Structure formats: C-alpha cells, structure tokens
Amino acid sequence: MKSENAENSGRPILFLMMNMFIAMLGIGLIIPILPEFLKEFGAGGKTAGYLVAAFGLTQFLFSPIAGEWSDKYGRKIMIVSGLVLFTISNLVFALAEQTWVLYLSRLIGGIGAASMIPSMLAYVADITTEDKRGKGLGLLGAAMSLGFVIGPGIGGFLAELGLRMPFYISAAVGAVATIGSVLFLSESLPKDKQLAARRSEQKKENIFLQLGKSFQSSYFIMLVLIFTMTFGLANFEVIFPLFVDAKFGYTPRDISIIITVGALAGTIVQAMLIGKLISRFGEKKLINWTFFSSAVTMVLMLLSGNFWYMLVLTVLFFTLTSIMRPAINTLISKRAGDEQGFVAGMNNAYMSLGNIFGPAVAGTLYGMHVNAPYLFGAIVLVLSLFLSRVESRRSLKRVAA
C-alpha cells in the first residue's frame, strides 16, 4: 500500500503544500495591519500580544487531541475540519465589532491549526517511503515558510483597500482550499488502521505528563532554549508593527515590506546555507553567537527609526534566528538517541509555549513602555546564551566521564 501511495504522492503533497501555505498566510496577514486595526477597538499592545497568545494556546492544547483523532478517524477529515475552522476564524475576525470577538476568532484559528498541521505531517508519512519522506516534509516546511514570508506583504498591500479586506480574502481562499480538499484529496490512512486505533486501549500520556518527563532528560536545557528562542522571536514579531507605528509613524505598507524582506532573507539562509554553517562552525558556536547577536540587534532597534536602518536590522534578526533554530534542533536530535519521536513532540510543545508566553508578556510590557518588550527580549536572549554555555560545559563533563 505504501509503495502504491508513494508512486502517486505528487498531487496529494501539492494539495498539502497549498493548505499549509494558506494557513501560514492567514497567520502572517495580521502582522502589518494590527496597529491600525486595533485602533478601531481602542486597543493596543496588550491586546495584540494576547490575541497571538490565544492562537498559540488552543494550538498547544488541541494538537495532541487532534493527532489522536487523526489516527482514529483519518487524515482527510482533520485537514478539512482545520480548513473550515481557519475560514471561520478569518471571517469572524473580519466581521468583529467587539474585542472579545477577536479573541474568539484567534482561539478558533488555533484549533484549526492544531487540526491541520499534525494531520498533514502524518499524511506525508503515510504516502511516502522512508527515503522520500525527508523530501516530502521539506516541501511542506517550505510551503509553511513561504506562507509566513508572503503573508505580511499581502496583508500590508491589501490593507490599502480596507483594513478588513485581508481577512475577507484569506477566508475566501480558505473556503476554496476546503472545497478542493473535499473533492480531490484522498484519504491516506487505510480503514483497518483507523479501526485498530479506535479499538486500542493504550492511553497516551497527556501533554503535561510529557512535559514533566522532559525535565529529567539530558537535553532539557536545549528544550528550554527552544522556548526562549521562540519567546524572543514571537516577542519581536508581535511588537514590531506596534513599536514602529507608535514610535516612528510607519505605515502598514512600510511594515509589510520590512517584515517580508526580513523573513525572506531568513528563509533563503535557512534553505541554502545552514548545512554549510553547521559543518564549518558546529552547532554550539552557532547557537551561542546567534543568541548574543540577536540580543544586540534587539537593543539596536531602539536607537533609530530610519527605514533602511530598521530594514537592515530586521533582516539581520530574522537571519540569526533562522540559523539558531536548525542549529538547536540538530543538537537536540543528536542528544535524543532513541527518543526521536518524544523529543520531536516536546520540541513542538516548548515552541508552542514560547508562542503563548512571548506575545502575552511582550504585550503587557508594551503597555508599560514602548521600549520595554525589546529590552526584556534582549535580556531573555542573553540569559539563553548563559544557559547554552552551561549546557556545553555539562556535555563536555559527560563526555570526559
């Protein structure tokens, strides 16, 4: 069955890439227009942070459930359900007249992402052989990155037609993707495997027990670094449009250009140079230098509002974090041994926690002082550098012993 699916995997993977692209596009659309949009509700940085955190919260809580349902009821129904929720989320956001409706929209969107993303990853595993799986997952990852890169740019330009227009367009595209998936995406998980999963009495540990187990692992500090890295990145992305709007008077178009160019530069570096950089310098050096340089970049953001100055710093920040993430992931994978599945799940969990707490803390600090989120983010990244160096010394001692 797997070999037959593998031979005909091209079209399904193309559909999955389109769906992933649409999901990430919808997340990225909000970034450049958020400052102007929230002014309609008399809201500011705290609300912006909590809106992004709300999305991360439901994604974190529902991902394990959605993954289990994907095994029991099939990949297609979960992917389609996720697209439906994604479409509803954007439509609700576009129609919102009160702040609580915005929160409802993002909570729905997080559940949609939880339904889609694990099921898409499992779908690729279903239809590819082991030697082709890396390529399939790589294409899915590329679609994810491209959606996030293009999202802010499209959001900024569509906002010139009206602040709510990006969400209407995103909802319409989501509806088209839903219909296309219903009509043309076949189920990848055989019925007998679905029935076996439903009959299974083996209960999976809940996410909180798994987090507790990770505290005892030899790679715990590396997982903490995943959290702090994601915390810093989410801190930067959520506050940036509000920061440059309030402090320097940037327009949605200015913001979309800077975010799009920065994210695109990071994606190119990650795709073309990361392997060479790891081979040349090693994971530990890259992790230490990128944490330090990212912290410095955050502080430099406070010194000038010149457009080109800000563009260069944003490109630098995205490039550094694009190097940092795979370097940490590679080192964790090397330390995990036979626990690759568990560590992959924990990697996602710590990343989700960073996406929850980073925006929430950043939004709260922004309400106190416009510069506070970036100063605090820089402190978090410097502390991460300290943790990384401590972990390096411990690993050397373990090797010597």
Side-chain angles (χ1 to χ4, degrees):
M1 182 72 178
K2 177 67 72 72
S3 61
E4 290 178 12
N5 284 340
E7 290 175 6
N8 302 298
S9 62
R11 191 175 73 174
I13 287 180
L14 180 61
F15 267 99
L16 295 179
M17 288 174 67
M18 289 170 55
N19 293 343
M20 184 68 83
F21 173 81
I22 288 166
M24 293 301 108
L25 188 75
I27 295 170
L29 279 172
I30 192 175
I31 294 174
I33 63 176
L34 200 56
E36 292 297 320
F37 190 76
L38 289 179
K39 286 176 184 176
E40 293 187 5
F41 298 83
K46 185 182 289 188
T47 301
Y50 289 166
L51 283 172
V52 178
F55 186 99
L57 176 64
T58 48
Q59 185 178 8
F60 171 73
L61 293 175
F62 280 87
S63 284
I65 300 169
E68 189 172 342
W69 287 357
S70 174
D71 288 337
K72 290 182 177 180
Y73 305 107
R75 319 302 188 201
K76 178 176 178 175
I77 189 170
M78 297 306 297
I79 293 170
V80 170
S81 299
L83 285 168
V84 169
L85 290 171
F86 169 82
T87 302
I88 292 171
S89 170
N90 280 285
L91 188 59
V92 169
F93 207 95
L95 295 170
E97 297 293 340
Q98 294 177 293
T99 306
W100 71 266
V101 180
L102 298 180
Y103 284 113
L104 176 64
S105 163
R106 302 319 284 172
L107 290 169
I108 294 171
I111 299 172
S115 300
M116 272 193 293
I117 294 173
S119 299
M120 288 183 191
L121 296 173
Y123 195 114
V124 172
D126 291 340
I127 65 173
T128 55
T129 55
E130 286 190 10
D131 60 321
K132 300 288 186 183
R133 191 164 303 154
K135 181 181 178 181
L137 292 173
L139 289 171
L140 210 56
M144 180 184 293
S145 298
L146 187 63
F148 185 78
V149 166
I150 292 177
I154 294 177
F157 289 108
L158 285 176
E160 295 183 3
L161 303 175
L163 285 178
R164 295 173 186 259
M165 183 58 68
F167 299 102
Y168 284 121
I169 296 296
S170 184
V173 173
V176 171
T178 303
I179 295 168
S181 295
V182 169
L183 295 177
F184 303 113
L185 189 67
S186 58
E187 177 56 60
S188 64
L189 188 66
K191 285 286 185 183
D192 57 332
K193 290 189 176 181
Q194 295 178 36
L195 290 171
R198 287 179 218 169
R199 292 170 183 159
S200 175
E201 296 181 2
Q202 182 180 356
K203 291 190 175 181
K204 297 180 180 179
E205 291 182 328
N206 68 53
I207 189 65
F208 299 104
L209 287 175
Q210 291 183 39
L211 283 171
K213 184 179 175 182
S214 74
F215 295 165
Q216 310 300 320
S217 67
S218 61
Y219 43 81
F220 171 64
I221 290 181
M222 302 305 299
L223 291 172
V224 173
L225 293 181
I226 287 287
F227 168 78
T228 57
M229 176 201 66
T230 309
F231 183 103
L233 184 58
N235 183 313
F236 175 89
E237 290 173 347
V238 170
I239 292 303
F240 181 81
L242 299 159
F243 172 78
V244 294
D245 172 64
K247 199 165 183 179
F248 309 121
Y250 280 25
T251 66
R253 184 169 184 153
D254 294 332
I255 296 166
S256 68
I257 290 171
I258 290 176
I259 293 288
T260 302
V261 173
L264 183 60
T267 302
I268 291 170
V269 168
Q270 193 173 59
M272 301 181 66
L273 298 177
I274 189 62
K276 295 177 182 177
L277 289 170
I278 289 176
S279 298
R280 175 78 181 273
F281 301 105
E283 296 91 353
K284 293 177 186 176
K285 282 186 179 179
L286 287 178
I287 292 168
N288 291 342
W289 276 107
T290 51
F291 270 123
F292 174 75
S293 302
S294 297
V296 171
T297 303
M298 272 195 157
V299 174
L300 292 175
M301 286 275 181
L302 308 178
L303 303 183
S304 172
N306 178 273
F307 179 86
W308 295 105
Y309 173 84
M310 199 63 72
L311 178 62
V312 170
L313 286 179
T314 304
V315 167
L316 180 59
F317 185 83
F318 275 104
T319 299
L320 290 168
T321 53
S322 294
I323 295 169
M324 186 191 302
R325 187 187 297 277
I328 297 174
N329 287 341
T330 301
L331 197 55
I332 290 178
S333 181
K334 288 181 178 179
R335 301 273 172 83
D338 295 329
E339 298 183 328
Q340 296 295 330
F342 174 75
V343 82
M346 285 299 93
N347 191 320
N348 184 66
Y350 279 82
M351 187 165 56
S352 297
L353 289 172
N355 282 326
I356 295 168
F357 289 105
V361 171
T364 302
L365 290 173
Y366 181 83
M368 299 177 183
H369 193 281
V370 67
N371 292 340
Y374 281 2
L375 291 172
F376 183 73
I379 291 169
V380 169
L381 293 172
V382 169
L383 290 175
S384 302
L385 169 61
F386 173 75
L387 279 176
S388 177
R389 292 181 67 84
V390 168
E391 202 281 337
S392 295
R393 292 194 195 99
R394 286 184 180 178
S395 64
L396 287 173
K397 287 180 181 178
R398 284 196 296 269
V399 171

